[in-house]
Amino acid sequence: MPPDVMIPHVLLKGARMRYCSFDFSRCFFRYWWIVFAIVLASVICPQIAEACTGVYVGSDASDDGSTLIARSEDISAHHNKMFQVIPASDCDFSGYVVDPLGHIMQSSAQTLRYTMIHDDPAEEGGSGPFDFPKVGMNEANLFVSATISTTPSEAINRVDPLVKGGLAEQTMEAVILKQARSAREGIALIGSIVEGKGAAEGNILFLSDPDEHWMMEIVSGHQWAAVKLPDNVVGVLPNVIVTDAPCVYDDYYYSKGLADIADAAGTAMYDGKGHDGSHLLVGRSYAPGFEIKQQDGSVSGSNIYRIWGGSALLNQEWHALIDSQLNDPLHFELPHDRVFYEPDHPITLKDVMKIESLRYEGTPYDANNPANVRDDGSYRYRPIGIETQTEIHIAQVRQGFPKELTTLQWQAFGNGEMPIFLPFYTNLIMDTDESMRVEGTTYNERSFYWQFSRALDLAKTNRTQYMPAIKTFWAGFQDQ
């Protein structure tokens, strides 16, 4: 593998990056809302989910040979989510994507059918009817979860700053699923856009097809790295750049300037075996650290607590290594510089569901303990299962099935404390139930999302009295 540009741009031809012509006068009146979005988006800053938590379990690490890829979206309470199927289009203006500052991003001439979980169009910060798609799958059996937000260090941002108007979470999933037919094609597409237009944010995304599972990190204005995830490891990913040296993975790609930018910033750290991008410790070179700086100047260990909490269900030895550092977030380091590690027992689908709902029950950091809640209602030790979660998804990529039936998307709406995960073949469905497409930013009894959101509101008025019974009821339903 060449050490510099790890994805040849000829791969983009495989992604069918052909442009189609269209009659603008005909399309303008039919798609006036996109033209309006171009203007509106130019004055609106993208809204990003800042406390999402990802989980990965390789096929050799799970109890049934499935690969499990999960993410919870943590942005705010009472934030309506809608589940849609976007039909394929043939040379139509609807096959174009508007980026956060209104640039029209052309997709392939024939776009693919795909699903998305997205924000309500009326949510603050939105710029279109299918804004902020978070997870979905297309008819080519490609699954995408986007994104876990991250932030490059100040030193990196001075050398390669994030780009206002660059690619952002707001449109990323749609850009990929409209046209990419494999994880590698999706990486090639996003890598090309980041290197050309630039990135507005740091982000982690998962791309999975029936054959391979990848994690891609956008780490600065124009740099990125992607690694093929091993089958024998597990990991919990908070909001921080985590990739170690790409060369330790089975396969990898990265941008041409990945090592040069870190060198110029004076932050580059290598594995001692080379001085190119494949040997760069990406997380330690690009991330400011695992602590989160609050607006009042204080330091939060939210990233560390999530890694710590999840590891308790994955590997007790790893959990103990992290536990010893919990009280020193400013100097926290991942054991052996790795966010992925082998579990000490086979991991189940329900284990992953539990991780995404953790409140650190029974520990000194228990979010249900009133002593761990500040006067303003915020948590001293921010849990994973929190009121500001809006949806949780898990891709279960199974072995021994036809490709069209390989991936099940388990989907939950609302908070992770009391979710019910429903399975979907999202690459095959042609429509979703009306209850999952109800618009509105306030409670509506016809809405699947708002029903679960309201149930949590009622339960948390007295957690001790209501929550155990509700959890027991839903657990029984989930087991069925």
Side-chain angles (χ1 to χ4, degrees):
M1 234 179 239
D4 289 324
V5 184
M6 303 308 295
I7 290 191
H9 289 285
V10 295
L11 260 182
L12 293 178
K13 295 179 181 177
R16 301 175 67 191
M17 290 288 289
R18 296 176 286 112
Y19 298 156
C20 65
S21 60
F22 60 95
D23 181 341
F24 186 80
S25 62
R26 174 178 64 85
C27 290
F28 178 86
F29 293 102
R30 184 178 175 191
Y31 297 103
W32 62 268
W33 58 266
I34 295 186
V35 179
F36 176 72
I38 292 173
V39 177
L40 181 64
S42 66
V43 295
I44 294 177
C45 294
Q47 186 181 43
I48 58 176
E50 296 183 339
C52 302
T53 303
V55 181
Y56 172 76
V57 177
S59 58
D60 293 343
S62 70
D63 69 324
D64 64 356
S66 295
T67 298
L68 302 170
I69 299 171
R71 187 173 66 87
S72 61
E73 184 188 352
D74 184 345
I75 184 168
S76 67
H78 307 144
H79 194 95
N80 188 19
K81 287 293 166 182
M82 303 170 68
F83 187 8
Q84 305 263 163
V85 177
I86 310 301
S89 62
D90 187 6
C91 227
D92 192 297
F93 195 66
S94 61
Y96 285 65
V97 176
V98 181
D99 77 6
L101 281 191
H103 304 117
I104 297 179
M105 192 176 299
Q106 293 170 307
S107 64
S108 56
Q110 174 64 54
T111 65
L112 300 168
R113 184 188 74 250
Y114 66 100
T115 59
M116 62 160 69
I117 307 288
H118 66 92
D119 281 3
D120 187 282
E123 285 290 353
E124 182 180 357
S127 64
F130 303 126
D131 213 17
F132 284 98
K134 299 298 184 180
V135 60
M137 193 173 179
N138 67 20
E139 61 182 291
N141 309 311
L142 174 62
F143 173 86
V144 175
S145 175
T147 68
I148 301 171
S149 303
T150 62
T151 305
S153 68
E154 293 179 2
I156 289 291
N157 209 40
R158 284 193 293 268
V159 178
D160 184 24
L162 296 170
V163 178
K164 186 177 181 180
L167 183 68
E169 178 181 3
Q170 192 167 5
T171 53
M172 195 177 303
E173 184 226 20
V175 169
I176 299 170
L177 291 179
K178 276 178 174 284
Q179 53 199 307
R181 293 179 172 273
S182 69
R184 290 179 190 254
E185 283 188 9
I187 292 166
L189 176 60
I190 295 302
S192 174
I193 295 171
V194 170
E195 291 185 58
K197 289 177 61 69
E201 310 151 353
N203 278 307
I204 301 173
L205 56 155
F206 293 108
L207 302 95
S208 172
D209 58 44
D211 301 313
E212 299 181 322
H213 319 290
W214 288 74
M215 179 185 74
M216 183 176 190
E217 293 196 287
I218 300 169
V219 297
S220 67
H222 298 87
Q223 306 305 318
W224 56 273
V227 295
K228 182 182 176 184
L229 297 172
D231 293 332
N232 64 331
V233 299
V234 296
V236 177
L237 287 79
N239 298 92
V240 66
I241 302 165
V242 294
T243 301
D244 46 2
C247 65
V248 305
Y249 295 88
D250 293 339
D251 209 348
Y252 55 90
Y253 299 121
Y254 56 84
S255 51
K256 183 176 181 178
L258 185 68
D260 294 340
I261 293 297
D263 284 337
T267 59
M269 298 183 69
Y270 294 91
D271 63 2
K273 300 176 183 178
H275 285 82
D276 60 24
S278 68
H279 295 281
L280 183 75
L281 300 175
V282 180
R284 297 189 69 174
S285 299
Y286 274 81
F290 280 82
E291 76 280 3
I292 297 176
K293 302 277 179 70
Q294 308 286 12
Q295 290 184 349
D296 62 3
S298 63
V299 172
S300 165
S302 168
N303 283 328
I304 304 168
Y305 290 115
R306 284 180 278 161
I307 296 173
W308 166 83
S311 67
L313 294 174
L314 301 172
N315 184 307
Q316 284 298 315
E317 181 180 353
W318 209 263
H319 181 67
L321 291 172
I322 299 171
D323 186 74
S324 65
Q325 303 184 69
L326 273 184
N327 295 320
D328 190 13
L330 286 172
H331 300 96
F332 176 81
E333 294 184 3
L334 282 171
H336 313 296
D337 280 327
R338 298 203 311 271
V339 73
F340 298 110
Y341 48 90
E342 294 186 14
D344 59 12
H345 64 283
I347 306 303
T348 68
L349 175 65
K350 293 189 74 171
D351 288 334
V352 176
M353 292 177 179
K354 187 173 181 180
I355 290 173
E356 292 290 11
S357 65
L358 277 177
R359 292 176 64 81
Y360 316 138
E361 295 91 336
T363 76
Y365 313 103
D366 191 337
N368 296 328
N369 184 345
N372 290 331
V373 181
R374 299 186 180 95
D375 292 340
D376 63 0
S378 64
Y379 295 102
R380 299 185 187 279
Y381 315 104
R382 201 174 197 279
I384 298 174
I386 195 169
E387 292 85 346
T388 50
Q389 284 173 316
T390 58
E391 59 90 13
I392 306 169
H393 52 264
I394 305 171
Q396 182 184 17
V397 188
R398 303 170 299 173
Q399 298 183 5
F401 287 81
K403 287 193 174 184
E404 294 80 7
L405 302 177
T406 296
T407 303
L408 269 176
Q409 180 177 326
W410 294 86
Q411 185 65 48
F413 289 89
N415 173 264
E417 270 195 270
M418 39 181 281
I420 182 71
F421 288 86
L422 300 179
F424 295 90
Y425 285 110
T426 45
N427 56 324
L428 297 178
I429 61 175
M430 298 297 179
D431 204 355
T432 56
D433 189 78
E434 184 180 353
S435 65
M436 297 181 179
R437 293 180 277 112
V438 176
E439 295 187 6
T441 58
T442 57
Y443 174 75
N444 186 323
E445 65 180 7
R446 296 185 296 108
S447 164
F448 196 85
Y449 168 82
W450 285 112
Q451 286 281 20
F452 275 85
S453 178
R454 174 58 63 88
L456 176 65
D457 289 343
L458 296 174
K460 70 182 185 183
T461 60
N462 190 328
R463 290 182 183 275
T464 303
Q465 182 174 350
Y466 301 134
M467 198 65 75
I470 295 175
K471 286 186 175 182
T472 299
F473 174 80
W474 282 128
F477 187 86
Q478 189 75 71
D479 289 340
Q480 296 177 22

